[in-house]
Amino acid sequence: MGKKYDTPLLDDLESGVFPSFVTEMKRAAEQSEYANDLLGQLELSFKENLTHWKHGGIVGVRGYGGGVIGRYSDIPDQFPGIAHFHTVRVNQPSGWFYTADALREICDIWDKYGSRLTNMHGSTGDIILLGTKTENLEPIFAELSSRGWDLGGSGSAMRTPNCCVGQARCEWANIDTMAITNEITQHYQDEMHRPAFPYKFKFKIAGCAVDCIASIARADMSVIGTWKGDIQIDAAEVTNYAKGGMDIAEEIAGLCPTGCITWDGSSLTIDNSNCSRCMHCIAKMPKALRPGKEKGATILLGSKAPIVTGALLSWVIVPFIKMEPPYDEFFDLVDRVWEWWDDHGKNRERIGELIERLGFPAFIKATELDLHPQMIKEPRRDPFFFWSEEDIIK
Ligand code: SF4
Ligand code: SF4
């Protein structure tokens, strides 16, 4: 083990009320040269207000173009333990369900070949194994894959799809988010492991509009469970909520975003034709209200964080689609969207940015999507009325 570093600036970060990553790094540093030198370099970076990471070169495993993010120290002589400090992304199980044995297996492999530091989980969803050498990548991959694990996506590829716990634990799930996530992962293995897109593409699957994984803000394509038909009402349970002290007029009808709930003091009615399926009333009165019986999903497109240009939220491209095996309609839609993006996207241009640049009408025409009022993102700015030269009466 190399020398221990004095880390007064990092030590300060241990003083708050929350668990500290510095404390965890120090624990790992007792047995790991990577973690020890990482502490030293980070302290120096804090002192100088300067990063000492250089993003260098492509590293990976044979047959895959992604899954490993290369990172090197720019002062390796000073911190040889982190001369290489590559990140390995491991495809997480849908819904993040693990057995204790599975977690031990991952940790044992990582103790053997890496820094002992992990991030459970990265914002894409993967298990993030932080810091290893180039020569360890193939052995790590061999050990992981021999036990049924696989690498996740990175670079200009489909990123590892991610979902909420869905029907495994949540009564509100309108779709089987975990099955859909697994299906997308298996169906697009090539697109995930061999980057060939203009830029990254993320899927996130939420069981309902509560959207616990924030798919509307963090996925190029959000799949959000919804329903067709009327919300199911149990009148006796509505009465129980009222008797229990709930102010239904204010808390339920008053906060319905489309104003489609009426409460006359004794009975609750819903104008379902104006319901936007936001889940507010159902989440507040789970015993009294349930989604309609015909289940499916709304597909939204385009959100992203503000990396190249500003942040975008997803908007609706398909108000309702059945999400049942073998998901042919869904995969056909994805293929059409990708084909247009492939043909027109510039390097490092996300699908949402491409639509903003070329216009929604161009996207609709190319993908041959049916038009619905729900697809209007901002009324008056993008009405779906477009005409060609020959339509104009002269
Ligand atoms: Fe449940 Fe909906 Fe949250 Fe999924 S998004 S966990 S279905 S509340
Ligand atoms: Fe209103 Fe939302 Fe309930 Fe529909 S789901 S009735 S929009 S609160």
Side-chain angles (χ1 to χ4, degrees), residues 278-289:
C278 78
M279 284 294 292
H280 166 71
C281 59
I282 297 170
K284 292 291 274 187
M285 306 173 88
K287 287 187 182 160
L289 304 177

Side-chain angles (χ1 to χ4, degrees), residues 268-307:
L268 179 145
T269 50
I270 298 174
D271 169 11
N272 283 279
S273 64
N274 278 313
C275 166
S276 63
R277 277 85 176 147
C278 78
M279 284 294 292
H280 166 71
C281 59
I282 297 170
K284 292 291 274 187
M285 306 173 88
K287 287 187 182 160
L289 304 177
R290 299 198 72 75
K293 289 187 176 151
E294 191 179 348
K295 306 290 171 58
T298 298
I299 309 292
L300 300 91
L301 199 70
S303 66
K304 58 175 276 296
I307 298 179

Side-chain angles (χ1 to χ4, degrees), residues 1 12 58 135 155 250 264 312 332 336:
M1 186 70 64
D12 200 37
I58 304 267
E135 57 266 34
E250 193 180 314
D264 64 7
L312 291 174
D332 179 56
R336 278 182 283 145

Side-chain angles (χ1 to χ4, degrees), residues 83-388:
H84 304 181
F85 199 73
H86 309 316
T87 294
V88 180
R89 283 195 181 153
V90 181
N91 193 334
Q92 80 285 9
S94 300
W96 294 315
F97 285 93
Y98 300 92
T99 60
D101 284 347
L103 287 172
R104 277 195 198 95
E105 190 169 80
I106 289 272
C107 291
D108 287 346
I109 295 171
W110 195 230
D111 282 354
K112 195 161 146 195
Y113 295 107
S115 69
R116 305 174 79 96
L117 295 169
T118 67
N119 170 9
M120 306 285 276
H121 301 80
S123 72
T124 301
D126 308 87
I127 305 162
I128 305 286
L129 304 179
L130 282 163
T132 191
K133 294 182 175 65
T134 306
E135 57 266 34
N136 287 348
L137 294 173
E138 287 295 347
I140 291 168
F141 182 53
E143 289 221 19
L144 285 170
S145 51
S146 70
R147 290 165 170 79
W149 298 95
D150 196 3
L151 299 187
S154 69
S156 293
M158 181 186 92
R159 299 299 182 82
T160 319
N162 193 21
C163 65
C164 75
V165 291
Q167 290 170 345
R169 293 205 59 184
C170 184
E171 62 183 304
W172 291 331
N174 291 301
I175 49 174
D176 189 344
T177 58
M178 293 170 60
I180 294 165
T181 302
N182 186 53
E183 202 63 39
I184 295 174
T185 308
Q186 304 296 343
H187 191 90
Y188 290 123
Q189 279 286 295
D190 201 29
E191 287 76 0
M192 186 161 81
H193 295 309
R194 294 167 195 98
F197 289 160
Y199 201 18
K200 61 181 103 167
F201 194 98
K202 299 181 179 180
F203 286 99
K204 294 200 190 293
I205 299 95
C208 76
V210 175
D211 196 11
C212 294
I213 48 161
S215 71
I216 197 166
R218 305 194 307 144
D220 295 273
M221 185 175 277
S222 329
V223 180
I224 301 182
T226 190
W227 65 90
K228 256 188 186 174
D230 296 352
I231 291 177
Q232 304 173 71
I233 305 176
D234 182 331
E237 289 292 351
V238 173
T239 306
N240 284 340
Y241 276 106
K243 279 190 186 151
M246 180 180 272
D247 184 341
I248 295 177
E250 193 180 314
E251 292 176 51
I252 307 299
L255 292 178
C256 167
T258 61
C260 69
I261 300 179
T262 308
W263 170 247
D264 64 7
S266 62
S267 72
L268 179 145
T269 50
I270 298 174
D271 169 11
N272 283 279
S273 64
N274 278 313
C275 166
S276 63
R277 277 85 176 147
C278 78
M279 284 294 292
H280 166 71
C281 59
I282 297 170
K284 292 291 274 187
M285 306 173 88
K287 287 187 182 160
L289 304 177
R290 299 198 72 75
K293 289 187 176 151
E294 191 179 348
K295 306 290 171 58
T298 298
I299 309 292
L300 300 91
L301 199 70
S303 66
K304 58 175 276 296
I307 298 179
V308 180
T309 60
L312 291 174
L313 289 180
S314 289
W315 61 93
V316 174
I317 60 162
V318 179
F320 189 86
I321 185 173
K322 282 278 185 194
M323 286 301 285
E324 288 164 0
Y327 307 102
D328 288 339
E329 199 187 343
F330 174 73
F331 288 132
D332 179 56
L333 168 69
V334 174
D335 290 343
R336 278 182 283 145
V337 169
W338 280 353
E339 197 181 330
W340 184 70
W341 183 43
D342 255 354
D343 286 348
H344 301 281
K346 294 197 235 173
N347 191 26
R348 283 171 70 80
E349 184 172 49
R350 301 280 284 270
I351 182 78
E353 291 163 340
L354 176 61
I355 294 172
E356 292 242 310
R357 180 165 63 84
L358 296 187
F360 207 56
F363 169 74
I364 294 286
K365 260 189 189 159
T367 50
E368 297 176 358
L369 285 169
D370 293 334
L371 297 178
H372 298 275
Q374 292 93 331
M375 297 156 83
I376 295 176
K377 188 180 175 197
E378 292 162 35
R380 296 194 179 278
R381 201 185 93 160
D382 52 3
F384 296 110
F385 184 78
F386 28 128
W387 60 87
S388 52

